Amino acid sequence: SPSSGCPPGGLAKVVLTASGGAFRDYTKDELFDLCSSDPDFIQKKATTHPNWDMGAKITLDSATMCNKGLEVIEAHYLFGASYDDIDVVVHPQSIVHSMVEMQDTSVIAQLGWADMRLPLVYAVSWPHRLDMDYKRLNLAEIGSLTFKAPDHEKYPCIALCYSAGRAGGTMTAVLNAANEAANEMFRANAGLGFLDIPRLIEGAMEGARRE
């Protein structure tokens, strides 16, 4: 809306930030090797988040970055943005939570500590802003903020989500249901490996395309 600094037609791009999840500090090759050599470590590590306390299911989605792909689909419907105009960047500090780029190339960002209480308070108090006794954001204390493009070979779920979104119809429901099943199977240690999660999702989507 104009009051928020974005008049009609002013939005150019939505930028979603991702922490990179449990395996952000591992290269693709290191992650793939560990999946083969030490699956027990992967099983435990995948549900341990470096920044957020969100519960095992969402934490595993963060490790595969399927959570961010699902947010891409959400952003498409919430803001009416084309999938070509929604980007994902890895931001390890989890201080910048989202950004919008305007047609004039200026960018507005939303910042805050990695604390789930803040979005919850915002959701229940909107359109008001409550006076909370949370720790104030101190950029000098943080020191630096870094960003990089996600490795799509390391995180194939991102591309699967874009593909499902662009396909439209029921494909996003197929993707979500397949991820829910794969996530649950992995956490139950039911014989589904970490790298099998995107494979199961892709297989379900291929099956849906053939029907």
Side-chain angles (χ1 to χ4, degrees), residues 1 4 6 9 11-16 71-82 85-86 98-100 122:
S1 69
S4 66
C6 183
L11 180 67
K13 190 178 288 289
V14 176
V15 183
L16 305 177
E71 288 179 24
V72 167
I73 296 169
E74 292 169 1
H76 167 75
Y77 286 104
L78 285 172
F79 304 113
S82 162
D85 296 329
I86 306 172
S98 61
M99 294 172 273
V100 288
Y122 177 70

Side-chain angles (χ1 to χ4, degrees), residues 32-122:
F32 288 8
D33 288 345
L34 281 168
C35 286
S36 299
S37 64
D38 198 349
D40 289 339
F41 168 79
I42 295 293
Q43 183 79 24
K44 294 182 179 67
K45 181 74 172 173
T47 53
T48 306
H49 200 283
N51 296 351
W52 296 93
D53 182 7
M54 304 182 291
K57 194 273 178 187
I58 300 300
T59 301
L60 177 55
D61 278 347
S62 177
T64 64
M65 285 191 67
C66 195
N67 69 324
K68 208 53 53 178
L70 291 168
E71 288 179 24
V72 167
I73 296 169
E74 292 169 1
H76 167 75
Y77 286 104
L78 285 172
F79 304 113
S82 162
Y83 286 102
D84 293 336
D85 296 329
I86 306 172
D87 287 347
V88 173
V89 295
V90 175
H91 169 49
Q93 294 81 20
S94 294
I95 296 296
V96 179
H97 303 300
S98 61
M99 294 172 273
V100 288
E101 179 186 329
M102 304 302 169
Q103 295 290 354
D104 62 5
T105 74
S106 66
V107 176
I108 300 174
Q110 193 274 322
L111 285 72
W113 293 117
D115 186 339
M116 289 302 295
R117 294 178 301 173
L118 184 55
L120 290 171
V121 166
Y122 177 70

Side-chain angles (χ1 to χ4, degrees), residues 27 99 129 132 138 141 189:
T27 67
M99 294 172 273
R129 291 287 187 171
M132 307 301 294
N138 187 326
E141 177 184 332
N189 203 9

